[in-house]
Amino acid sequence: MINPAELELLRDALAKLAQGFAGLPPYTPDFDTEATARVLQLVAERMQDNYPYYHPRYAGQMLKPPHAVARIAYAMSLWVNPNNHALDGGRASSALEKECVADLGRMYGWDTLLGHLTGGGTMANLEALWVAGRLHPGKQIIASAQAHYTHTRISDVLGLPFAPVAVDEQGRMNPKAIEQLLQTGEVGTIVATLGNTGLGAVDPLAEILELAKHYGARVHADAAYGGYFGLASELRDDTKAAFDCLSEVDSIVVDPHKHGLQPYGCGCVLFRDPDVGRFYKHDSPFTYFSSAELHLGEISLECSRPGASAVALWATQQLYPLVSGGQFAQWLDQSLLAAQDLWRQLCDSEWYQPLMQPELDIVVYAIAAPDAVDASQCARRVFACAAEKDLHLAMIELPVEAVRVWLPEMTANAETVTCLRSVLMKPEHRDWVADIVRILEECATDL
Ligand SMILES: *Cc1c(COP(=O)(O)O)cnc(C)c1O
């Protein structure tokens, strides 16, 4: 679990940090090390009650361990504990945040933009939809029926009407359904999800942009989970087509704490037009939003924010630049290939029926049972059996008709079917697919 080199690297980094303050009168904070040690043993014991998220045998929810460089940089910065709300609370880390955000923007082909880090995808989407609402007051927000549930909630918080858009059998927003909503003249913003959380399906962005242009709607891309996949080279053509036009949307949300190797507490919102900074309350002139003096606290709804997140992200992006063909991109390809491999092997299984072919690294699979109730019970039994064998999966509840596309003989004696879901977001998963399938087969024979 722990590579001892990490602790060495942290000690060396802290020694280097301390050199920067060597001119001050000596001062070492004191604390009761024995009592602290006792509490730390206690907390370590409590923390044992977790699924092993860092291990490739964890093939369930969307959890990816932070890279060592992120973990160490984050920990190191806690000895300074900068606050990226204001420059005098986090001078260096604010500069690092601006550089990280500029690099994320360049990944989407944006050279001028307004953006900052957030506590996560929820806060980032909240800011994007808040700006959307300011530009189209009272108008609807529409998003996929498979979009993250946060969009319904955020619209409610913002007092904006929300309407879900039906998805096709691939789990993508149906352009005809979007157009019907646009024709009412009530829609202000279309949320395109590039990689929905449940299925990993990518909304057809090229068609969405065309419709938005025709009807004068804004387009926000929720790429909290999928935002880095434009760097990959193993995308299917239809999926790649959506990522290729990401630069044309009005705003993007990407979560470095999902696929970007960061500890939790690191989301990002980006606006193509820096001028939307005028909606945040501030006292500065308007040329300021693209200037070097930009004060991050004036373009963020959250005030105090961890400078540590920016430090960790900057370190990670130094080591693994956001470029096609680079190490980071190759890791994304490993995840894509792992998902394709698992999907293919499950297609050959007599017990399992995978649903749509994965677009990113999520595989959803049902148990091939005669009816919906039976399939759901079997899925829950496989989930428990696999956990006993140290393979950790996730479950997803899907409308019975969405499952019957792939299992047409299944009797629809319930409204929903419990399916199994594996997010293969660790590059190591590529080498563990055979092991995962072996345990799945063992559990299916025991049913
Ligand atoms: C995870 C996710 C969110 C929510 O982000 P948090 O970081 O959990 O707050 C929103 N949209 C999508 C597509 C996501 O995958």
Side-chain angles (χ1 to χ4, degrees), residues 62 120-122 125 148 150-151 193 195 197 222 224-225 255 257-258:
M62 202 171 271
T122 303
N125 276 300
H148 201 281
T150 194
H151 293 288
T193 307
T197 321
D222 180 1
Y225 148 63
D255 261 358
H257 72 199
K258 289 261 177 75

Side-chain angles (χ1 to χ4, degrees), residues 2 4 9 40 50 63 80 82 95 100 145 172 205 210 214 225 239 246 261 268 275 305 349 352 362 393 410 413 440:
I2 299 154
L9 292 171
L40 286 172
N50 267 308
L63 290 148
V80 175
C100 288
R172 304 172 188 155
L205 189 56
E210 207 160 297
H214 188 259
Y225 148 63
T239 309
L246 200 42
L261 302 166
C268 181
D275 190 31
R305 292 176 310 117
S349 156
Y352 296 96
I362 301 177
L393 311 169
M410 177 187 278
N413 60 347
L440 285 173

Side-chain angles (χ1 to χ4, degrees), residues 280-297:
Y280 295 82
K281 265 242 175 327
H282 67 90
D283 313 315
S284 313
F286 128 126
T287 47
Y288 168 81
F289 298 113
S290 43
S291 77
E293 292 83 62
L294 178 70
H295 180 328
L296 291 164

Side-chain angles (χ1 to χ4, degrees), residues 431-443:
D431 298 327
W432 288 71
V433 172
D435 179 66
I436 292 169
V437 171
R438 177 182 59 77
I439 297 174
L440 285 173
E441 291 286 315
E442 278 173 24
C443 289

